[in-house]
Amino acid sequence: SLCAAGEPNLSYQELKDLKKASVLHIDVRERWEIDRFGKIPESINIPLGELMEALQMDPTEFKEQYNQKMPSKSDPVVFSCLAGTRSKQALGFAMSLGFS
């Protein structure tokens, strides 16, 4: 599994390869950015400001809100944004909640 200490940045090709496996891709850009720049296929949008709350939701509520199974703390998750700053923050948030 990928860990922030091991490889915090992924290339586009590495992400494509990971998505062939069952990795959850969370795009932490704002909704207006998705509308303006486009959605990344097979990603779910959880803006950074909602992420801490989302990762602590009841799994049923998460599924209803984001139309996706809530990740367990050991599931592989990849965060993305526009430049890398918010995705790095998202990784820190997830790790602080016990995600590996």
Side-chain angles (χ1 to χ4, degrees):
S1 69
L2 288 177
C3 174
E7 185 57 61
N9 299 306
L10 295 173
S11 70
Y12 177 71
Q13 189 58 51
E14 286 169 322
L15 178 60
K16 280 180 68 172
D17 293 343
L18 272 176
K19 288 173 81 124
K20 290 175 189 165
S22 57
V23 65
L24 177 62
H25 180 185
I26 299 176
D27 187 336
V28 296
R29 293 178 294 162
E30 296 298 322
R31 287 185 177 85
W32 69 265
E33 291 176 282
I34 304 290
D35 293 342
R36 185 169 178 189
F37 301 112
K39 181 181 186 314
I40 299 168
E42 298 167 29
S43 68
I44 63 169
N45 176 231
I46 306 176
L48 186 63
E50 294 176 23
L51 186 66
M52 285 291 278
E53 183 181 341
L55 293 177
Q56 297 177 82
M57 281 180 170
D58 174 79
T60 306
E61 189 181 348
F62 187 94
K63 176 104 172 110
E64 286 172 10
Q65 175 103 12
Y66 300 108
N67 200 28
Q68 178 78 39
K69 180 183 169 284
M70 183 170 179
S72 76
K73 295 203 188 286
S74 61
D75 284 345
V77 178
V78 170
F79 298 101
S80 67
C81 62
L82 196 60
T85 303
R86 288 173 287 179
S87 57
K88 196 172 285 188
Q89 285 181 282
L91 182 61
F93 289 164
M95 291 177 77
S96 75
L97 292 172
F99 284 81
S100 58

